[in-house]
Amino acid sequence: MNMRYFISAFALSFIILLASCNRLLEPQPVTQLPAMDAFTSPDRILANLRGVYAGVKSGQFLGGRMLVYHDTRGEDLVNITNNGVTALFSFNHGQTAGNAEPLNCWNAGYTAINRCNVFLKGLDDNPNVISAELATQYRAEALFLRALTYYMMVNLYARPFAFNNGSSPGLPLRISAEIAPGGSDLPRSTVAQVYTQILADLNTAEQNLPLTYGTPLLRVTRAHRNAAIALKVRVYLTMQRWGDAITEAQKLVPQTSAPFAATTGVANALVANVATVYQAPYTTVESVFSFPMGDNDVPGVQNSLVSYYVPTGLGGPIGDYAIRNTGVGILADPVWTANDARRTNFIRTTGTGANTIFWCVKFPTNPPAKDFVPIIRYAEVLLNYAEALVRQNNAIDATAINLLNAVRGRSAPTATYTASDFANPAALLTAIMKERRIELLCEGFRGIDETRLLQPLPAKGTLAAVPISAQNYIWPIPQSELDNNRLMTPN
């Protein structure tokens, strides 16, 4: 994105909304953030923080499209509409530097990052407006969101960490507020350096975030200690640092057998009925962190998850992607049993016979698209922990089987596993990875799961597999960034 115009939308809004009459007569340059206006009261600081959350949950980013982009790169979805503006190029592995989707996603991500940075600067420049304790918490929330944003972007626009231990070109690390022109030129840090920053932000966040909040809604929609730890588990898993993933996971899962539950902070645990996770009020203890949506706060029709996954025949607005029920698709795998609650609750069909199409209806609300967007669930933490145990120990690990069975048994109680079901650790890993595809379907995981393990993007339908060495294994850097950042290099 052209950094000369990289002014956070929320910063500009404060210039407009908070300027006094005198300031309208003697206006500040629009490229300067009037911190005296934006950070002069606790309410305004909290409004700024809400703007930081809003930036990350943009429909062009984690409010919808970013999750869809990662999932459409995998093999479990089928494109239905052939619509060039709804992830078709992502599905076809045909993105180019001039396409709108890499540009819009990049802009949304870096705008969100700059919102974090502007907010952090505003706190630093305006001490004593709120208590030191509250300022420390707010900083930690912004750092958590910045880490989450960089994690999602580096896994789309850069080679996997495991490809060469992070030495590949990563992203420009913009960790200072851009509130004036002149900051466009910044070289790419390495993938390893990006991950170092992500972990630094999350470590600080873990130390300073609250253990919990006073209401279920805040415990799901505001960053807290367990959310930072859970994201660290995911990051370490992506880096293939299995031992570190285990150490972090054990903070949230101290037990070796079910029932598993966090014993400090928010009492995160699996809920008995998986369907309730995706139903209003969306505040179960399984939801570690989600982005809320409401009547006047929605991602936009063609950004929303319901738009991508639910057709008009099932009450949705469009339905761009169905679930593959043949060949390599997980729905066709016998491991996903007919009586599994995730199949009976979340899979619906239109058409009949050979024309039957299978759809995921986890996110059915339309209009407007008010379903909360799940970012971290306790089920993912359990599966991350199980995978790390098996890979670290290279064994048919009993705790890993218990973790796997907790997730699987919740929805398919007659289809759980025993150690004798696995001939070797590889067989147990296969079961865990298939369970991830079932449990986390349409939640933004499949593409990252394939790339972090250095697997080719799989063949699907008439599309050939994409090897890790191919240029289109990762997304291109947008042309506008290459044009305006003289130190930027293409993928």
Side-chain angles (χ1 to χ4, degrees):
M1 186 178 184
N2 185 350
M3 291 301 300
R4 292 177 176 81
Y5 302 98
F6 200 121
I7 310 301
S8 290
F10 90 109
L12 292 176
S13 71
F14 272 108
I15 295 171
I16 296 169
L17 295 176
L18 301 179
S20 66
C21 293
N22 287 337
R23 290 191 180 281
L24 290 176
L25 295 174
E26 299 178 2
Q28 294 287 324
V30 295
T31 55
Q32 295 180 10
L33 172 66
M36 65 184 72
D37 287 337
F39 290 86
T40 53
S41 73
D43 286 345
R44 288 178 176 176
I45 291 175
L46 180 58
N48 269 274
L49 179 59
R50 288 171 176 157
V52 175
Y53 278 90
V56 183
K57 75 165 190 175
S58 160
Q60 288 285 349
F61 204 65
L62 282 177
R65 282 183 179 256
M66 175 58 94
L67 302 183
V68 174
Y69 293 149
H70 281 295
D71 273 334
T72 52
R73 305 185 82 214
E75 70 272 46
D76 290 326
L77 301 180
V78 178
N79 181 269
I80 299 298
T81 58
N82 205 38
N83 188 341
V85 300
T86 50
L88 178 62
F89 293 101
S90 178
F91 178 82
N92 289 336
H93 311 304
Q95 296 285 20
T96 66
N99 282 4
E101 286 175 349
L103 172 63
N104 292 339
C105 186
W106 181 276
N107 286 355
Y110 270 105
T111 298
I113 288 167
N114 200 47
R115 287 190 180 204
C116 296
N117 295 338
V118 171
F119 179 75
L120 292 168
K121 176 176 170 54
L123 288 180
D124 291 341
D125 290 348
N126 295 271
N128 305 320
V129 177
I130 56 178
S131 69
E133 180 182 9
L134 191 58
T136 297
Q137 174 193 319
Y138 285 3
R139 286 189 183 93
E141 291 183 71
L143 291 175
F144 170 85
L145 293 168
R146 187 171 73 180
L148 174 63
T149 301
Y150 265 121
Y151 172 82
M152 297 302 293
M153 291 187 70
V154 78
N155 278 284
L156 197 59
Y157 293 96
R159 296 282 168 186
F161 183 91
F163 181 68
N164 51 13
N165 203 34
S167 64
S168 300
L171 303 173
L173 267 178
R174 299 189 182 276
I175 56 175
S176 298
E178 296 285 347
I179 57 175
S184 295
D185 297 332
L186 186 67
R188 301 174 73 166
S189 296
T190 66
V191 170
Q193 289 169 330
V194 174
Y195 273 96
T196 296
Q197 184 64 52
I198 290 169
L199 289 171
D201 285 353
L202 289 177
N203 284 330
T204 302
E206 179 190 356
Q207 294 167 8
N208 296 308
L209 285 170
L211 290 177
T212 189
Y213 292 93
T215 68
L217 178 62
L218 292 179
R219 289 194 289 270
V220 169
T221 61
R222 292 278 293 272
H224 51 83
R225 176 181 172 272
N226 284 4
I229 295 170
L231 185 53
K232 279 203 290 180
V233 178
R234 186 190 298 181
V235 170
Y236 281 130
L237 199 76
T238 307
M239 299 173 75
Q240 299 193 5
R241 289 172 56 173
W242 317 122
D244 289 322
I246 291 168
T247 298
E248 296 297 330
Q250 287 173 341
K251 297 177 184 178
L252 304 181
V253 193
Q255 306 87 2
T256 59
S257 60
F260 298 105
T263 54
T264 60
V266 177
N268 294 121
L270 293 179
V271 295
N273 181 0
V274 67
T276 61
V277 175
Y278 308 93
Q279 297 171 353
Y282 309 101
T283 54
T284 70
V285 291
E286 182 168 335
S287 299
V288 179
F289 182 72
S290 299
F291 283 120
M293 300 295 171
D295 288 331
N296 299 312
D297 182 26
V298 292
V301 174
Q302 287 187 288
N303 299 331
S304 65
L305 296 177
V306 64
S307 175
Y308 279 93
Y309 297 129
V310 185
T312 55
L314 295 175
I318 298 174
D320 292 289
Y321 292 90
I323 307 304
R324 189 180 302 277
N325 70 313
T326 59
V328 296
I330 192 62
L331 191 62
D333 195 308
V335 73
W336 198 351
T337 58
N339 62 350
D340 189 309
R342 294 163 298 190
R343 183 184 286 263
T344 58
N345 278 291
F346 304 138
I347 302 298
R348 295 288 182 269
T349 62
T350 58
T352 59
N355 296 318
T356 301
I357 303 176
F358 295 77
W359 304 91
C360 178
V361 294
K362 281 183 175 180
F363 313 104
T365 306
N366 174 64
K370 295 190 294 182
D371 300 293
F372 282 24
V373 178
I375 303 299
I376 306 172
R377 291 197 290 120
Y378 197 69
E380 180 216 340
V381 176
L382 299 186
L383 293 173
N384 289 347
Y385 185 14
E387 180 185 343
L389 283 170
V390 179
R391 295 191 188 279
Q392 175 72 6
N393 300 330
N394 192 29
I396 303 174
D397 189 277
T399 299
I401 295 174
N402 291 337
L403 292 160
L404 172 61
N405 281 338
V407 177
R408 184 168 178 77
R410 184 253 302 266
S411 296
T414 62
T416 55
Y417 299 106
T418 65
S420 61
D421 291 317
F422 306 110
N424 49 48
L428 176 52
L429 283 171
T430 295
I432 292 170
M433 298 310 296
K434 286 185 177 183
E435 199 64 27
R436 290 180 69 86
R437 292 169 66 185
I438 298 170
E439 180 68 26
L440 304 175
L441 183 70
C442 295
E443 295 183 39
F445 287 89
R446 185 56 186 152
I448 295 178
D449 278 350
E450 288 167 336
T451 58
R452 69 179 172 86
L453 295 172
L454 303 183
Q455 297 172 351
L457 297 175
K460 48 189 180 182
T462 60
L463 294 172
V466 178
I468 190 171
S469 58
Q471 186 176 26
N472 62 336
Y473 191 76
I474 57 176
W475 271 26
I477 302 300
Q479 188 61 49
S480 66
E481 178 70 16
L482 297 170
D483 291 341
N484 292 292
N485 180 353
R486 291 171 295 181
L487 300 178
M488 192 64 183
T489 57
N491 281 333

